[in-house]
């Protein structure tokens, strides 16, 4: 598939008919329904837009999987995001983020196949085709980076937030993106967007924080001098995401304090796209990724308190996955597993 280029200077979606959607496929077969779904995203009728978005989530992106038609739909999604008259563009940005991180069906479900099935030539061919579709889709979304960068200064908070979130999926472009995101800190006044900037910078410099000392220092400063709890917690989580072993134990203090008093951050965090399952779930994920240097006796009592807190929660955000992660962390710490 040729590289997909962002369409500009044309009437909205006028090039939809240039794609032969009938020969493309998505999760439920032929993709000939995609053009109308894309048009419906620009509808003035809220219900029509919602149905279209749900349908696209069931077709070109389905339970983490992307398909042949996905990459072809991306330029039109980008076109819609450019149009100020299109409503709920933040939702389209979220769909683009999901498409950027989408995977191949067979690769996602590798565990259900036998070794014999995995080595079958037809299986390998199908997997190769699916991975190609994944790569094409990711590249198509990446072609929109100039647009996402422009949206960092948009007046709508949700659009800024979702643009930042989307940019975090392009670690290969960190050299370009980290300086641009870092510059936005001096202009951003919304603490939720500020938190999202911190988190995305942490993801982009993962395993290469030494190459971005200014960005890493910015995370450390926000941890120590951040004006609000959500900002300090985001900085702590971002520092963990960098994979560095050089940050202070303050990261643990900040996260554990927020776990014990989640009301100080929940109102902000429930609006952030990278906290899909709630703040407490995200806290478990972060603690499970702490480097081994933090696993010492002085930390144990606070982790025990944390695990007891997790066990006591009834919120839907603390599903079995979160509890399993807590158990794994508990086991790694060498603590009594019967909490």
């Amino acid at each position: 598939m040729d590289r997909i280029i962002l369409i500009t200077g044309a009437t909205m979606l006028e090039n939809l008919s240039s794609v032969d959607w009938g020969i493309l496929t998505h999760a439920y077969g032929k993709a000939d329904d995609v053009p109308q779904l894309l048009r419906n995203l620009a509808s003035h009728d809220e219900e029509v837009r919602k149905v279209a978005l749900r349908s696209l989530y069931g077709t070109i992106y389905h339970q983490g999987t992307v398909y042949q038609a996905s990459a072809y739909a991306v330029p039109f999604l980008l076109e819609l995001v450019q149009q100020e008259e299109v409503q709920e563009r933040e939702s389209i940005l979220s769909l683009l983020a999901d498409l950027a991180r989408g995977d191949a069906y067979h690769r996602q479900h590798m565990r259900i196949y036998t070794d014999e099935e995995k080595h079958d030539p037809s299986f390998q061919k199908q997997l190769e085709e699916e991975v190609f579709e994944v790569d094409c889709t990711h590249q198509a979304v990446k072609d929109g980076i100039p647009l996402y960068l422009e949206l960092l200064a948009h007046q709508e908070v949700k659009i800024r937030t979702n643009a930042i979130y989307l940019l975090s999926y392009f670690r290969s472009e960190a050299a370009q993106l980290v300086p641009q995101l870092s510059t936005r800190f001096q202009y951003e006044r919304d603490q939720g967007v500020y938190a999202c900037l911190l988190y995305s910078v942490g993801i982009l410099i993962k395993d290469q924080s030494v190459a971005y000392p200014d960005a890493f220092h910015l995370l450390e400063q926000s941890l120590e001098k951040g004006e609000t709890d959500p900002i300090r917690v985001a900085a702590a989580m971002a520092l963990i995401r960098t994979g560095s072993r050089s940050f202070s134990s303050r990261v643990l203090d900040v996260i554990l304090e927020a776990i014990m008093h989640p009301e100080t951050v929940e109102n902000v965090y429930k609006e952030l796209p990278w906290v899909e399952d709630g703040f407490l779930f995200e806290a478990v994920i972060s603690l499970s990724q702490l480097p081994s240097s933090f696993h010492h006796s002085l930390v144990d009592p606070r982790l025990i308190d944390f695990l007891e807190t997790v066990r006591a929660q009834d919120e839907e955000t603390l599903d079995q996955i979160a509890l399993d992660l807590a158990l794994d962390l508990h086991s790694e710490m060498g603590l009594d597993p019967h909490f």
Side-chain angles (χ1 to χ4, degrees), residues 181-206:
L181 289 174
S182 297
T183 299
R184 293 305 309 171
F185 284 102
Q186 61 184 305
Y187 302 107
E188 188 54 61
R189 295 295 176 264
D190 183 272
Q191 64 176 334
V193 181
Y194 200 102
C196 207
L197 280 167
L198 289 165
Y199 202 84
S200 293
V201 167
I203 292 171
L204 286 168
I205 67 174
K206 178 177 172 60

Side-chain angles (χ1 to χ4, degrees), residues 281-292:
F281 180 89
E282 191 65 25
V284 176
I285 296 288
S286 293
L287 288 179
S288 72
Q289 295 178 349
L290 277 169
S292 58

Side-chain angles (χ1 to χ4, degrees), residues 13-28:
L13 303 182
E14 71 173 12
N15 292 305
L16 271 172
S17 59
S18 67
V19 178
D20 189 349
W21 298 97
I23 66 172
L24 301 175
T25 57
H26 55 44
Y28 291 100

Side-chain angles (χ1 to χ4, degrees), residues 250-286:
R250 174 76 173 145
V251 297
L252 188 61
D253 296 333
V254 168
I255 293 174
L256 287 173
E257 180 65 23
I259 285 169
M260 300 307 175
H261 304 284
E263 68 279 0
T264 64
V265 299
E266 283 179 330
N267 286 339
V268 171
Y269 275 65
K270 68 182 180 182
E271 301 296 330
L272 302 185
W274 45 263
V275 187
E276 297 178 354
D277 296 292
F279 167 71
L280 290 174
F281 180 89
E282 191 65 25
V284 176
I285 296 288
S286 293

Side-chain angles (χ1 to χ4, degrees), residues 195-258:
C196 207
L197 280 167
L198 289 165
Y199 202 84
S200 293
V201 167
I203 292 171
L204 286 168
I205 67 174
K206 178 177 172 60
D207 299 327
Q208 50 180 342
S209 58
V210 174
Y212 298 95
D214 291 343
F216 190 79
H217 181 60
L218 193 154
L219 299 181
E220 290 182 311
Q221 278 191 315
S222 296
L223 175 71
E224 298 296 337
K225 300 179 181 179
E227 295 181 359
T228 66
D229 287 337
I231 288 175
R232 289 188 291 272
V233 171
M237 290 182 172
L239 284 164
I240 293 174
R241 291 302 193 277
T242 67
S244 172
R245 295 174 180 271
S246 64
F247 50 78
S248 74
S249 59
R250 174 76 173 145
V251 297
L252 188 61
D253 296 333
V254 168
I255 293 174
L256 287 173
E257 180 65 23

Side-chain angles (χ1 to χ4, degrees), residues 73-121:
V74 168
F76 302 105
L77 293 171
L78 293 174
E79 191 178 350
L80 288 167
V81 170
Q82 291 181 91
Q83 309 301 319
E84 287 290 338
E85 65 268 29
V86 173
Q87 301 181 57
E88 299 178 51
R89 287 184 292 158
E90 68 277 4
S91 298
I92 301 175
L93 287 168
S94 291
L95 175 57
L96 285 165
D98 286 325
L99 289 167
R101 68 176 181 172
D103 202 355
Y105 179 86
H106 281 72
R107 189 160 61 186
Q108 274 188 310
H109 298 84
M110 197 67 74
R111 67 187 180 281
I112 71 174
Y113 299 105
T114 65
D115 288 340
E116 182 178 356
E117 288 173 320
K118 293 175 186 177
H119 290 93
D120 185 274

